[in-house]
Amino acid sequence: MNYGKALRDEIAHPRTTPLIGIYDMYSASIAAGHYGGFFVSGFGFAASHYGLPDIGFIAWPDMVNFAERLRLAFPRHHMLVDIDDGYVDPEVACHVVQRLERAGASGVILEDQRRPRRCGHADGKQVLPLDAYLEKLNMVLASRTDLLVVARTDATEPDDILRRAAALAETDADVVLVDGVRSVDWIRRIRTVIGDKPLLFNQIAGGKSPRLSLTELGDLGVDVAIYSTPCLFAAHSAIDTALAELGFADGRLPDARDGGGIGVRESTALLEKNISRNHGVRSTVSV
């Protein structure tokens, strides 16, 4: 299957395509029942795989291995992978892109940050000289076959944002992302300078960007919306609440029978779907 083409075709539809940020196989298993596309978030992966903030700790083999496992379990979902700055070196970036394409990724996001990098909605971001980033980006574009490539800038100065967005739109990148956009007016300004190039918008709870619906984003000319951390933050809240309630109940588990919550039966049924998508295995849940 040409996963890059499939995502391009989806983005070409006259509405905003949502891609949901997942952080591990279990969160992806739940998200797969609600949405047709994943965003493999660097924030979520750094948090779940290492227990560390999104400031450059990710090792590319770990990300590639995760993408391989995702594709095996979800053969028909779109899968956009955050590769940060391409792991610093342009040659490494090209190698990772080729590995991800062979693993079945639909696309990647390559940013123009310099080290030490930061989450796109954090303060203190620094960007590479534009020429240096464009050289890396063009090498990545030449190394892919079908993979969709999102060119991302983390510029924060107004003139530099527009200059870089326009320059990215002139490349062969499929989509442009300006991360940390602070207002609807700025979405409109970026939409104007990139012309007909597809535009991606990143939403993260508590981030710098406005909270907008898919309908509102569609009206603004946004083609793709990534939701970086809804699963991670929901899990944080739910786990914290569940463990607090377990303490209040003196260690007595809640009753998960008869629709009273998630128990071993429901969890096993969810996970068995990850086998049946590829092999047609019938459910064997009998707990």
Side-chain angles (χ1 to χ4, degrees):
M1 179 175 178
N2 293 327
Y3 289 108
K5 180 181 183 301
L7 183 53
R8 285 186 194 87
D9 291 345
E10 181 76 20
I11 291 171
H13 291 164
R15 52 178 170 70
T16 303
T17 297
L19 299 175
I20 301 301
I22 49 87
Y23 63 89
D24 66 359
M25 295 297 296
Y26 201 87
S27 63
S29 302
I30 298 170
H34 298 272
Y35 290 90
F38 301 140
F39 172 51
V40 185
S41 158
F43 189 111
F45 188 76
S48 64
H49 199 75
Y50 307 104
L52 294 170
D54 184 23
I55 55 175
F57 287 107
I58 295 172
W60 69 260
D62 293 337
M63 184 61 87
V64 171
N65 289 339
F66 181 41
E68 289 173 341
R69 287 186 281 121
L70 278 170
R71 181 50 76 206
L72 181 63
F74 307 101
R76 289 174 292 277
H77 276 68
H78 303 299
M79 187 169 71
L80 181 64
V81 181
D82 183 2
I83 61 169
D84 295 338
D85 57 358
Y87 310 100
V88 184
D89 186 88
E91 294 291 353
V92 173
C94 293
H95 179 69
V96 172
V97 161
Q98 291 169 341
R99 288 282 301 270
L100 284 169
E101 184 161 13
R102 285 197 295 271
S106 308
V108 297
I109 300 178
L110 179 70
E111 69 190 32
D112 62 357
Q113 283 199 54
R114 67 194 311 170
R115 297 284 170 133
R117 69 169 307 281
R118 297 284 184 267
C119 166
H121 288 252
D123 294 327
K125 297 188 297 181
Q126 303 176 71
V127 292
L128 293 167
L130 180 57
D131 288 347
Y133 173 69
L134 291 177
E135 180 180 1
K136 183 189 296 187
L137 175 63
N138 286 323
M139 287 177 64
V140 163
L141 291 169
S143 72
R144 57 95 183 255
T145 301
D146 173 63
L147 195 76
L148 178 142
V149 174
V150 178
R152 163 180 159 177
T153 181
D154 282 84
T156 56
E157 296 299 322
D159 290 344
D160 199 28
I161 290 173
L162 297 178
R163 179 175 73 98
R164 288 176 182 255
L168 303 191
E170 292 176 358
T171 71
D172 290 332
D174 300 280
V175 181
V176 169
L177 162 62
V178 177
D179 211 5
V181 174
R182 294 173 182 261
S183 69
V184 167
D185 179 62
W186 264 103
I187 297 174
R188 293 193 180 101
R189 295 174 71 178
I190 294 162
R191 175 73 274 172
T192 297
V193 301
I194 69 170
D196 294 331
K197 185 75 74 172
L199 176 63
L200 186 152
F201 180 72
N202 180 20
Q203 297 198 92
I204 181 169
K208 296 183 181 298
S209 298
R211 295 182 301 113
L212 299 170
S213 70
L214 290 171
T215 299
E216 290 169 323
L217 290 172
D219 291 342
L220 290 166
V222 172
D223 302 278
V224 191
I226 54 174
Y227 294 80
S228 293
T229 55
C231 297
L232 180 70
F233 293 170
H236 183 148
S237 177
I239 292 169
D240 196 47
T241 298
L243 295 182
E245 291 175 351
L246 185 64
F248 293 145
D250 192 28
R252 188 188 303 278
L253 287 170
D255 188 354
R257 296 171 296 180
D258 300 322
I262 300 298
V264 64
R265 180 183 181 89
E266 293 80 9
S267 180
T268 303
L270 173 72
L271 296 175
E272 285 197 340
K273 293 178 183 178
N274 297 343
I275 303 173
S276 63
R277 288 188 187 95
N278 277 298
H279 304 296
V281 176
R282 296 176 62 184
S283 175
T284 59
V285 178
S286 57
V287 176

